[in-house]
Amino acid sequence: MVKRSLSITQRRGSVDPGADAALAKMGYANELPRNLSMLSVLGMSFAIMAVPFGLSTTMYITLTDGQSVTILWGWVLVSLISLSIAASLAEICAVYPTAGGVYYWSAMLSTRKYAPVASWVTGWLTLVGNWTVTLSINFSGGQLILSAITLWKEDFVPNEYQTILMFWAVMLVCMSVNIFGAKYLDLINKICIYWTASSVIIILITLLTMADTRRDASFVFAHYDASQSGWPSGWAFFVGLLQAAYTLTGYGMVAAMCEEVQNPEREVPKAIVLSVAAAGVTGVIYLIPILFVLPDVTLLLEVANGQPIGLLFKTVTGSAGGGFGLLFLILGILFFAGVGALTAASRCTYAFARDGAIPGSRLWKKVDKRFDIPLWALVLSTAVDCLLGLIYFGSTAAFNSFTGVATICLSASYGMPILISVLRGRRAVKNSGFSLGKFGFAINIAMLVWICLAVVLFCMPVSLPVEADAMNYASVVFAGFATISVAWYFVRGRKDFTGPPVPQDVAPGEEIGVVGVEKVDEEKIPQDGVDKESGKLGEKI
């Protein structure tokens, strides 16, 4: 047992005894190397949100539901909301920095009686959210790659098989990087920041200098046209918020990286909030020049593959080569987004399986010693996404469903610990190192109202009337996973699942030992009492 713990220590790029001791108090032994910096986690969060990529692949939504006002001011509105949600999560993360993220927080913030069910519901929401946001990123990436062909061959329309195969190829590349490039993830995440910033600047300059005609300021900042949506004019604006809400969704996923960061109680909360702030500013800088040079909206919406950004670039630059040059920058962002999202999804799967909440948990919770990653959790995340992609054979609007489910599940999972914290008087976060202070209650409650609205909004189709192949099946996919979760709860969960090893109903800030764990010496890394399979601490340290 001691030998195994020492081997784990030797494989680490860096060691943070204080963080490992704090993790031990929360019931786990650290099995993953702490070699990610705050900038790296910020880069991963920024990569998952992938602002230019996310806004480009979902542009058809806002072109249908309001155009300029929805595109620009919808983005500003959702950016402010997301920043508030991120701050609410960062406040909790500073108290409980563990890979379990919102799943663990819901358990710890609850009473002993309700901790298991709270963590079960939150865990499945965040797990499905992680899987589907990775799916939607890589699926739309596959579509965007194929759309590049239309720059030269305008009548090319990829069929279902071509789309699925390209999507699987993107998933395979992302999985390969996560396996064989695991030790370079820190560098990859940092490069993402510079690539994205450079891409936005290059696109901005190119579009504004090469455009033959430009829209006036009144169009960019005040034009509103929802006539093609079929929705009542005002309601179309809210339906169109899916573009911004989907893009600004993945910031909470990086909480799953807490066990791979030194000083996670300080660095991860900062990364969560700063990444959203950076994403909000990046989006405004990206969208304004696009709106100034926006070609005929009808022409863009008639693109057969549903991805108008390539045609927009081609129209403005006046050549297929110029359009592809700008599109290539967006595809580079896709690479970082796909890799980062799959990394976070695999860590979320590992953390949830560690507590026996997923069928086959014994396999998914294993950490592969060769690569220092939860390899089988990575394989499961990839396989689930590849299988879900097959929905495209039944509905060419499958991407709408994926983005909707991802946004619904992640938003709801973020709301669970915030709701529990509010119901218990925010006592557990009063001494947080990232406190919201006297504004905490107001911010938390406002965010909960938004999340409830978002869950309803993002089950709706982009436009009316709706045919079967264009329906938003988000609610169906969501119901499918809910059925699996409930069934597994009755098969296994209600008998054996107790949640994370910390469902203690204690006063906030009180020094306690974890259930079955004696007080940990903060000057050393736990080496004994580690369960080989789960990574949890056993009877004694």
Side-chain angles (χ1 to χ4, degrees), residues 440-471:
F441 263 114
I443 292 174
N444 288 171
I445 292 173
M447 295 310 96
L448 291 171
V449 172
W450 159 254
I451 289 170
C452 290
L453 175 62
V455 169
V456 175
L457 281 175
F458 304 141
C459 285
M460 295 185 175
V462 172
S463 61
L464 296 176
V466 181
E467 296 180 358
D469 62 348
M471 180 62 185

Side-chain angles (χ1 to χ4, degrees), residues 27 125 245 264 350 358 379 398 434 440 444 512 521:
L125 284 171
Y350 156 77
I358 307 174
V379 171
F434 204 94
N444 288 171
I512 62 167
D521 182 354

Side-chain angles (χ1 to χ4, degrees), residues 54-265:
L55 289 174
S56 297
T57 55
T58 54
M59 186 169 290
Y60 70 94
I61 297 174
T62 43
L63 290 177
T64 302
D65 291 309
Q67 299 177 24
S68 298
V69 169
T70 308
I71 291 173
L72 182 58
W73 299 116
W75 174 261
V76 172
L77 173 63
V78 176
S79 293
L80 294 174
I81 292 171
S82 299
L83 191 61
S84 299
I85 296 176
S88 298
L89 296 179
E91 183 180 45
I92 302 172
C93 183
V95 181
Y96 308 116
T98 174
V102 290
Y103 149 74
Y104 181 93
W105 305 340
S106 289
M108 191 59 194
L109 293 168
S110 297
T111 62
R112 179 193 295 263
K113 178 180 179 181
Y114 293 106
V117 67
S119 59
W120 184 275
V121 172
T122 307
W124 273 95
L125 284 171
T126 193
L127 181 66
V128 174
N130 273 258
W131 283 344
T132 51
V133 81
T134 305
L135 164 65
S136 60
I137 288 171
N138 289 325
F139 191 88
S140 59
Q143 289 181 313
L144 197 61
I145 292 171
L146 290 172
S147 75
I149 299 174
T150 62
L151 295 176
W152 288 274
K153 190 177 179 181
E154 295 183 3
D155 60 347
F156 173 74
V157 180
N159 59 37
E160 290 88 348
Y161 289 97
Q162 291 168 328
T163 303
I164 293 297
L165 289 174
M166 182 57 72
F167 161 59
W168 284 353
V170 173
M171 287 296 305
L172 182 61
V173 169
C174 293
M175 184 179 74
S176 299
V177 172
N178 267 282
I179 295 174
F180 303 108
K183 61 182 178 181
Y184 301 113
L185 288 179
D186 182 71
L187 177 61
I188 291 172
N189 293 334
K190 290 176 181 176
I191 292 175
C192 169
I193 299 174
Y194 299 107
W195 179 282
T196 303
S198 301
S199 298
V200 170
I201 293 172
I202 292 171
I203 291 172
L204 181 153
I205 294 173
T206 303
L207 292 180
L208 292 180
T209 56
M210 295 191 71
D212 293 329
T213 59
R214 295 181 182 84
R215 305 277 191 171
D216 56 28
S218 62
F219 176 88
V220 173
F221 297 103
H223 176 73
Y224 184 79
D225 180 4
S227 59
Q228 299 191 60
S229 71
W231 291 108
S233 182
W235 186 247
F237 172 81
F238 291 100
V239 176
L241 293 180
L242 176 58
Q243 180 192 35
Y246 161 67
T247 304
L248 291 169
T249 287
Y251 49 86
M253 292 169 63
V254 296
M257 309 306 295
C258 279
E259 293 173 27
E260 297 173 61
V261 180
Q262 297 192 58
N263 303 310
E265 74 287 346

Side-chain angles (χ1 to χ4, degrees), residues 231-363:
W231 291 108
S233 182
W235 186 247
F237 172 81
F238 291 100
V239 176
L241 293 180
L242 176 58
Q243 180 192 35
Y246 161 67
T247 304
L248 291 169
T249 287
Y251 49 86
M253 292 169 63
V254 296
M257 309 306 295
C258 279
E259 293 173 27
E260 297 173 61
V261 180
Q262 297 192 58
N263 303 310
E265 74 287 346
R266 182 180 71 241
E267 305 299 347
V268 176
K270 280 172 26 181
I272 292 173
V273 174
L274 288 175
S275 66
V276 177
V281 173
T282 301
V284 171
I285 296 173
Y286 180 70
L287 289 172
I288 288 178
I290 284 181
L291 289 174
F292 267 112
V293 302
L294 194 71
D296 180 63
V297 173
T298 304
L299 181 68
L300 295 177
L301 288 176
E302 288 176 351
V303 174
N305 56 29
Q307 296 291 342
I309 194 66
L311 177 59
L312 187 153
F313 288 157
K314 177 183 177 180
T315 303
V316 174
T317 60
S319 70
F324 180 75
L326 297 183
L327 188 63
F328 178 78
L329 297 175
I330 303 296
L331 293 176
I333 296 172
L334 156 68
F335 168 77
F336 295 111
V339 171
L342 188 56
T343 302
S346 66
R347 302 311 190 266
C348 174
T349 304
Y350 156 77
F352 203 33
R354 191 166 55 178
D355 291 316
I358 307 174
S361 290
R362 287 184 177 273
L363 179 61

